[in-house]
Amino acid sequence: MRSKPVDAAKGMAIILVVYGHCLRGLTAGGLVPEDSWLRVTDYVVYSFHMPLFFFVSGLFIHNSMRRGAVLFWRSRILTIVYPYFLWSVLQGSVQAVLSRTEATNTAFSFADLAAILWAPISPFWFLYALFFATFAAYVLRRHRPELLCVLAFAAFLTTDETMPFILQDIAYGTFYLSLGVLAQERGFIRWLDRAQPVTAVATAGLFAVAVSMSYWLQLPEHFSLPAAVTGIAASLMLWSVVCRKQSALAQPIAALGQISMAVYVMHILALGLARYALLHVLGVTHLGILLFAGTVTGVAIPVIVHAALVRLRLAEMFGLPGETMRPATQEI
């Protein structure tokens, strides 16, 4: 079951994921000044883009559960567990080989790769947390979604810096996934298809206020709950309005959202390649060019590689969608 506004919101979010990692890579390389306004955009992006992915997963998880336990868990193994291990090994191996060169900003070893059972490699913490959030939702599937929401929020608040950070990530992801489950039960998708432009714009305004307050209070992105909730709602409502107006922008963004997994698992490698080529081969030093070219390349290379794998009928072997970008429909 697909929803064009949801696919479009995912397409936008995956572009923001690539942008955020590109920006943080340049920051780690000392290329972004301390007082740059780009650091504000980093906070804005990280306040809501990953919660949106967890929320969307929650929107459709109960429909998947109705297929039965065997089919449900088979799909989760193929779309979460298998890609997690495969791409962790692929990316981790490349990072371990290149960690002593200028092609990467972070040290990494094969010993770190051996720890992926309990310490995910960036950015695969999302798949790791999504699996456990899915497991929690399945265990509590016969209970009201509010129970999962309360338990996850309580777990999130009780984690601290003495615990492995992935525990907070799991609780964080489970909370937003449970909000998606709750929203689906309350008919959010049907309401979304009727969202009015004035409501969407007003919600975007609330997001701007919420994220500004969180930034002013210096809250960590994980704790900017009002910004995350309003950011999710505004994104989905704005794309619903854009899709209903048959905007030329909606179709390619929604199509990108359908293969967001491919971009997610490959973009770090693509960004490393782009950064090395721009800095050390082409000699580019302009921050704006580095950020724009890096983001475009970080999206384009995974899309091209995925299309090639689909054409060769190898996409599913790599844990990726078996179809390339295609027209999305408005219906659920």
Side-chain angles (χ1 to χ4, degrees), residues 242-312:
V242 171
C243 290
R244 292 201 307 272
K245 290 185 178 297
Q246 301 297 315
S247 167
L249 179 64
Q251 189 56 59
I253 298 298
L256 180 63
Q258 293 176 13
I259 62 164
S260 57
M261 171 67 87
V263 179
Y264 196 81
V265 298
M266 286 189 271
H267 77 278
I268 292 293
L269 294 175
L271 285 174
L273 176 64
R275 185 170 57 245
Y276 183 84
L278 289 166
L279 287 171
H280 303 292
V281 178
L282 299 177
V284 176
T285 58
H286 189 280
L287 180 57
I289 295 175
L290 290 170
L291 188 56
F292 176 78
T295 301
V296 171
T297 305
V299 174
I301 289 179
V303 169
I304 293 168
V305 171
H306 176 254
L309 290 173
V310 170
R311 188 174 183 83
L312 295 170

Side-chain angles (χ1 to χ4, degrees), residues 54-67 72-73 76 80 130-131 133-138 141 148 177-178 180-182 184:
F54 284 112
F55 180 87
V56 168
S57 297
L59 279 178
F60 301 110
I61 194 170
H62 275 186
N63 288 326
S64 298
M65 287 180 187
R66 294 191 185 103
R67 299 164 58 195
F72 176 76
W73 283 110
R76 266 45 194 177
I80 300 176
L130 180 60
F131 175 78
T134 299
F135 181 78
Y138 187 83
R141 66 191 183 281
L148 178 61
L177 182 141
S178 69
V181 175
L182 182 60
Q184 188 276 336

Side-chain angles (χ1 to χ4, degrees), residues 7-65:
D7 280 337
K10 288 170 60 183
M12 174 204 70
I14 199 63
I15 293 172
L16 293 178
V17 167
V18 178
Y19 169 83
H21 284 146
C22 183
L23 177 59
R24 290 196 170 185
L26 295 172
T27 302
L31 298 170
V32 181
E34 287 290 336
D35 59 349
S36 173
W37 61 272
L38 289 172
R39 293 178 183 264
V40 178
T41 69
D42 177 277
Y43 186 90
V44 173
V45 165
Y46 277 84
S47 70
F48 80 98
H49 71 333
M50 296 315 296
L52 189 150
F53 279 111
F54 284 112
F55 180 87
V56 168
S57 297
L59 279 178
F60 301 110
I61 194 170
H62 275 186
N63 288 326
S64 298
M65 287 180 187

Side-chain angles (χ1 to χ4, degrees), residues 7-311:
D7 280 337
K10 288 170 60 183
M12 174 204 70
I14 199 63
I15 293 172
L16 293 178
V17 167
V18 178
Y19 169 83
H21 284 146
C22 183
L23 177 59
R24 290 196 170 185
L26 295 172
T27 302
L31 298 170
V32 181
E34 287 290 336
D35 59 349
S36 173
W37 61 272
L38 289 172
R39 293 178 183 264
V40 178
T41 69
D42 177 277
Y43 186 90
V44 173
V45 165
Y46 277 84
S47 70
F48 80 98
H49 71 333
M50 296 315 296
L52 189 150
F53 279 111
F54 284 112
F55 180 87
V56 168
S57 297
L59 279 178
F60 301 110
I61 194 170
H62 275 186
N63 288 326
S64 298
M65 287 180 187
R66 294 191 185 103
R67 299 164 58 195
V70 173
L71 289 177
F72 176 76
W73 283 110
R74 180 179 181 275
S75 70
R76 266 45 194 177
I77 289 171
L78 292 176
T79 60
I80 300 176
V81 179
Y82 176 62
Y84 172 77
F85 283 106
L86 176 65
W87 286 97
S88 291
V89 170
L90 289 175
Q91 180 180 308
S93 298
V94 173
Q95 284 184 268
V97 171
L98 298 179
S99 63
R100 295 184 180 181
T101 73
E102 295 177 327
T104 178
N105 288 325
T106 56
F108 193 84
S109 69
F110 284 104
D112 296 318
L113 184 58
I116 60 174
L117 280 173
W118 60 88
I121 302 169
S122 175
F124 303 120
W125 71 269
F126 168 74
L127 294 176
Y128 193 96
L130 180 60
F131 175 78
F132 285 101
T134 299
F135 181 78
Y138 187 83
V139 169
L140 296 177
R141 66 191 183 281
R142 302 189 189 283
H143 297 273
R144 298 286 303 167
E146 290 89 346
L147 176 62
L148 178 61
C149 188
V150 169
L151 291 175
F153 188 63
F156 176 67
L157 291 180
T158 54
T159 56
D160 58 43
E161 64 275 4
T162 66
M163 303 178 184
F165 199 73
I166 189 59
L167 295 179
Q168 188 178 83
D169 287 335
I170 291 170
Y172 168 82
T174 304
F175 173 69
Y176 288 107
L177 182 141
S178 69
L179 289 184
V181 175
L182 182 60
Q184 188 276 336
E185 185 179 89
R186 302 293 174 85
F188 176 78
I189 292 290
R190 292 189 298 275
W191 175 85
L192 181 64
D193 288 337
R194 301 190 300 271
Q196 297 302 307
V198 64
T199 308
V201 172
T203 307
L206 289 176
F207 167 68
V209 172
V211 77
S212 297
M213 288 297 297
S214 296
Y215 185 79
W216 181 67
L217 293 171
Q218 297 184 337
L219 293 177
E221 298 97 332
H222 269 41
F223 288 93
S224 56
L225 176 61
V229 171
T230 53
I232 292 168
S235 298
L236 290 167
M237 283 191 283
L238 287 169
W239 280 111
S240 178
V241 171
V242 171
C243 290
R244 292 201 307 272
K245 290 185 178 297
Q246 301 297 315
S247 167
L249 179 64
Q251 189 56 59
I253 298 298
L256 180 63
Q258 293 176 13
I259 62 164
S260 57
M261 171 67 87
V263 179
Y264 196 81
V265 298
M266 286 189 271
H267 77 278
I268 292 293
L269 294 175
L271 285 174
L273 176 64
R275 185 170 57 245
Y276 183 84
L278 289 166
L279 287 171
H280 303 292
V281 178
L282 299 177
V284 176
T285 58
H286 189 280
L287 180 57
I289 295 175
L290 290 170
L291 188 56
F292 176 78
T295 301
V296 171
T297 305
V299 174
I301 289 179
V303 169
I304 293 168
V305 171
H306 176 254
L309 290 173
V310 170
R311 188 174 183 83

